[in-house]
Amino acid sequence: MTQALAFKRPSVIPGFGIAFGFTLFYLGAIVLIPLAALILRAAGVGFTEFLTLATDPRVTGALKLSFGASLAAAAINVVFGLLVAWVLVRYDFPGRRLVDAAIDLPFALPTAVAGIALTTLYAPNGWIGSLFTASGPLGFLFGEGGLKIAYTPLGIVVALTFVSLPFVVRTVQPVLEEVDVELEQAAATLGANRWQTVTRVVLPAIVPALLTGFALALARAVGEYGSVIFIAGNIPYVSEIAPLLIVIRLEEFNYAGATAVAAMMLGISFVMLLVINLIQAWSRRRFGHGA
Amino acid sequence: MDISVRHLAKEFDGFRALNDVSLDIRSGELIALLGPSGSGKTTLLRLIAGLEFPSGGTIRFGQEDASAKSVQERNVGFVFQHYALFKHMSVADNIGFGLSVRPRGTRPSRAEIRRRAEELLELVQLPGLGQRYPAQLSGGQRQRVALARALAIEPRVLLLDEPFGALDAKVRRELRRWLRELHDRTGHTTVFVTHDQDEALELADRVVVMSQGRIEQVGSAADIHDRPASPFVFSFVGSSNILPVEVRGGEIAYRGTVLGRTPDADGPRSLFVRPYDLELVPDGAPGIGGTVSLARRSGGSRIIEIDTPEDGRIELELPADAPGSVGDRIAVRPRRWHLFEAAAGARVTGG
């Protein structure tokens, strides 16, 4: 009893008990129980069996592709999402609100629709894809065969970049708006040029937000299914993503195999998000946000 | 560095923030821009710094026309009200920032920058705090760091925008005295903006009183106090009572009672008088009569308000042992006053 009470600190904000109780229940029902079921299922397979399933070359290939393409997409969005956020916050131009609203479209669009649209555009006979074929105007840049985008890992990166863009923009944007313009003016009076002001004063202030955006974009990309399966071509060992492999295993009634892939994804995701969180905590201290 | 401002004007979206302002700032001078919010004082400071560009007029630094120069080229030290320190840099890095962004040819070595930062920390009386972060300092300490950072680039002029505005009263008084000492030691030409008349009058060699984008008066603290150029200046630098009077044949008459003499021409005037320049008159002697409506003690004096039949309340500041309690009928007379045109006085409110 006393221990339970010590848990709860006196507070002027009422409702701690009920709010905390509900939070635990909610997290349990929505997040923890399904994940626990997955882990239980994976544990039921047995260690050697699990290892065999998880290290199958088709599985490792799919995992490498899923996480590699997601990291690439999140990294691309850190750069260009920051640019988009910067333009939206710092400049006033006609149609700014329209562009601002368009950022959220990847959220709202059914991902399958996005996948089909992107495939149509980036296929060798599509508007953009045709530019990069051997006979296209830009194809010579990529050697004899030109560049194939759809039905390759590159196409997967394109789709994942599309679906995860809003995460970086929407996390960086409010923080960028908060960066005091006086800081930039102070840097200018001290003789810093625009480049020095941006790299040494503005960017360090938004590093934590940028990391959060990266983590969210990465998490979103790893779990993406709908848009990717249309553009990927889904060739085993080449352009088959892990979520698709899970579905394939399920369709084969190979529940143990599906669980093994899922558990691997869960584990890798958890470790990656944990590392990003640690970097974030470090950067908050380093850049004086938490102090 | 002499600074000369000629016919300076600044418009923001049709609003005239600054209107034909001319001012000469002498080298080594500590000068205050004083005025209420919206008077254009901060705009003037930012125009001198190059953080804004004028709609008209010129700014000269010595012999050189600085009007079209960028803020980086002007080499000014600017201190912001809310410090604007770089949170992610240590105190020493903040101070060294201005030196570290110089082009390679003129940039001092790392060791030299660190040495300069330590020297400046000594100067602003924060030795040994170089490795701290701004978040770990008090408001007063942060403002000193901001000042050290501005001084690090050896600015031609030091500009401070409400430097003590965000600090509490005690720290503000301490920093005020300290800034004066620092100025006397380093001799930088310094311009600071404030809306606090005590701060301006106590700290500055000369005070520039501004209102509605114009300069009302430039002068020493004594000039501003004893020879206010306009009703606005009189009202802005202290409490005031305003009474309608009539000048006839060299005598100032308030509703038939002669209060004193003036060389002014005949006509209606507004008489401006400070609460501490009013004295009680003995019973029956001519004066401004009224009923005491409020009496309270404030520091070493008594503040009394009397209700006059025609002109509302008059505030007096009397010695602590002065008589008079609520409900008494008393009469007062001004010892010193200023007369302004009646029409001009009408737009001024006391306070």
Side-chain angles (χ1 to χ4, degrees):
Chain A
M1 192 62 201
T2 44
Q3 266 195 328
L5 279 176
F7 196 61
K8 179 190 165 181
R9 301 245 161 70
S11 165
V12 286
I13 306 163
F16 172 78
I18 194 161
F20 189 67
F22 182 76
T23 303
L24 282 185
F25 166 75
Y26 190 82
L27 277 179
I30 303 285
V31 181
L32 291 177
I33 292 176
L35 290 185
L38 171 65
I39 291 166
L40 263 177
R41 196 70 197 233
V45 174
F47 186 69
T48 41
E49 169 81 13
F50 178 82
L51 217 59
T52 323
L53 285 170
T55 54
D56 174 67
R58 191 170 169 192
V59 173
T60 51
L63 286 172
K64 267 187 214 153
L65 176 64
S66 261
F67 285 98
S70 299
L71 280 169
I76 290 169
N77 276 332
V78 161
V79 178
F80 294 99
L82 171 63
L83 194 67
V84 171
W86 181 275
V87 168
L88 287 176
V89 170
R90 289 308 172 96
Y91 305 106
D92 206 2
F93 52 91
R96 189 175 66 93
R97 298 176 71 90
L98 213 65
V99 175
D100 195 47
I103 300 297
D104 289 329
L105 281 181
F107 274 145
L109 208 61
T111 50
V113 175
I116 293 165
L118 288 171
T119 309
T120 315
L121 281 175
Y122 286 94
N125 57 352
W127 287 353
I128 299 175
S130 63
L131 299 178
F132 292 92
T133 57
S135 54
L138 298 172
F140 70 93
L141 292 171
F142 304 95
E144 292 279 298
L147 184 72
K148 208 173 162 212
I149 299 174
Y151 316 125
T152 68
L154 191 59
I156 299 176
V157 174
V158 169
L160 294 181
T161 306
F162 174 83
V163 295
S164 61
L165 171 71
F167 291 90
V168 176
V169 178
R170 289 295 180 237
T171 42
V172 172
Q173 203 177 0
V175 180
L176 203 53
E177 271 166 7
E178 290 292 299
V179 174
D180 197 344
V181 66
E182 275 190 357
L183 288 178
E184 290 170 59
Q185 293 177 346
T189 62
L190 293 167
N193 61 35
R194 201 62 198 136
W195 174 250
Q196 289 168 325
T197 304
V198 169
T199 53
R200 298 185 52 179
V201 174
V202 182
L203 283 185
I206 58 171
V207 162
L210 216 45
L211 281 171
T212 306
F214 178 78
L216 287 174
L218 178 67
R220 173 75 175 87
V222 166
E224 177 58 14
Y225 175 80
S227 62
V228 178
I229 54 164
F230 288 98
I231 201 168
N234 307 326
I235 307 155
Y237 307 101
V238 178
S239 61
E240 183 180 60
I241 55 166
L244 177 66
L245 190 57
I246 296 173
V247 175
I248 291 171
R249 291 282 186 257
L250 286 177
E251 281 169 352
E252 295 163 349
F253 301 103
N254 182 355
Y255 295 130
T259 315
V261 181
M264 286 298 286
M265 283 192 80
L266 186 65
I268 298 172
S269 297
F270 182 77
V271 170
M272 284 204 316
L273 293 178
L274 188 70
V275 169
I276 293 171
N277 260 307
L278 289 176
I279 297 174
Q280 231 180 341
W282 169 82
S283 80
R284 268 180 214 287
R285 271 201 310 281
R286 171 69 185 78
F287 296 129
H289 289 268
Chain B
M1 178 69 54
D2 286 326
I3 296 170
S4 137
V5 169
R6 285 285 166 273
H7 308 296
L8 207 60
K10 176 67 184 176
E11 241 176 79
F12 294 107
D13 300 327
F15 168 71
R16 292 195 81 93
L18 215 58
N19 219 333
D20 193 23
V21 164
S22 296
L23 177 66
D24 285 305
I25 298 164
R26 296 191 276 263
S27 188
E29 187 174 36
L30 180 54
I31 196 163
L33 306 179
L34 173 68
S37 56
S39 61
K41 56 191 191 303
T42 295
T43 305
L44 177 55
L45 193 78
R46 292 173 64 89
L47 283 168
I48 295 172
L51 291 172
E52 311 276 358
F53 287 95
S55 319
T58 57
I59 300 164
R60 302 182 81 84
F61 281 23
Q63 292 309 306
E64 166 196 324
D65 188 351
S67 312
K69 292 211 160 177
S70 73
V71 53
Q72 286 92 346
E73 292 166 324
R74 288 193 199 188
N75 193 29
V76 296
F78 201 99
V79 174
F80 294 84
Q81 179 178 2
H82 297 287
Y83 331 124
L85 293 176
F86 308 129
K87 277 186 285 195
H88 61 281
M89 293 183 203
S90 70
V91 165
D93 288 343
N94 263 284
I95 296 172
F97 183 83
L99 297 174
S100 72
V101 294
R102 285 195 182 162
R104 212 172 287 278
T106 55
R107 189 194 309 157
S109 68
R110 272 168 194 276
E112 171 65 14
I113 292 175
R114 203 171 321 126
R115 201 186 57 74
R116 279 287 294 151
E118 267 158 35
E119 249 176 45
L120 283 158
L121 277 170
E122 291 275 345
L123 182 71
V124 301
Q125 296 169 0
L126 296 172
L129 294 189
Q131 294 319 304
R132 298 257 190 107
Y133 282 85
Q136 298 166 306
L137 302 180
S138 72
Q141 290 174 325
R142 284 182 212 183
Q143 198 56 293
R144 289 173 194 227
V145 172
L147 194 62
R149 184 178 67 176
L151 290 172
I153 60 167
E154 284 154 17
R156 295 193 287 183
V157 52
L158 192 56
L159 306 168
L160 304 100
D161 186 9
E162 302 253 3
F164 313 128
L167 304 169
D168 65 57
K170 186 164 174 290
V171 178
R172 197 148 66 195
R173 274 196 302 277
E174 278 171 24
L175 274 192
R176 214 189 269 173
R177 189 162 311 141
W178 171 79
L179 179 66
R180 180 72 231 188
E181 285 168 17
L182 188 76
H183 174 265
D184 293 344
R185 200 136 37 100
T186 61
H188 279 98
T189 308
T190 306
V191 186
F192 75 99
V193 157
T194 180
H195 61 260
D196 180 339
Q197 72 272 8
D198 292 334
E199 193 167 289
L201 296 169
E202 188 185 313
L203 193 53
D205 298 322
R206 285 196 303 157
V207 176
V208 179
V209 184
M210 297 186 65
S211 164
Q212 297 176 338
R214 292 174 190 281
I215 291 179
E216 292 272 334
Q217 186 172 5
V218 183
S220 67
D223 290 337
I224 303 285
H225 264 306
D226 300 338
R227 289 174 290 282
S230 67
F232 173 83
V233 174
F234 187 94
S235 302
F236 192 72
V237 298
S239 308
S240 51
N241 298 297
I242 304 160
L243 295 167
V245 293
E246 193 75 30
V247 173
R248 196 163 299 135
E251 286 186 331
I252 305 166
Y254 169 72
R255 303 199 182 277
T257 311
V258 174
L259 297 176
R261 301 192 59 81
T262 173
D264 275 15
D266 288 2
R269 296 282 192 283
S270 288
L271 181 130
F272 282 64
V273 57
R274 301 256 181 243
Y276 51 79
D277 283 335
L278 284 162
E279 60 188 3
L280 290 173
V281 296
D283 286 339
I288 308 159
T291 316
V292 176
S293 61
L294 182 147
R296 64 186 161 82
R297 179 70 186 260
S298 167
S301 41
R302 285 192 85 200
I303 306 292
I304 289 180
E305 274 183 21
I306 58 173
D307 262 335
T308 60
E310 292 98 352
D311 298 302
R313 295 199 166 162
I314 296 177
E315 189 186 327
L316 324 173
E317 190 178 331
L318 299 172
D321 56 358
S325 50
V326 175
D328 289 357
R329 276 199 61 81
I330 58 172
V332 294
R333 189 169 59 197
R335 268 195 304 253
R336 291 195 300 167
W337 61 83
H338 287 88
L339 289 179
F340 293 106
E341 291 300 323
R347 70 178 168 87
V348 174
T349 52

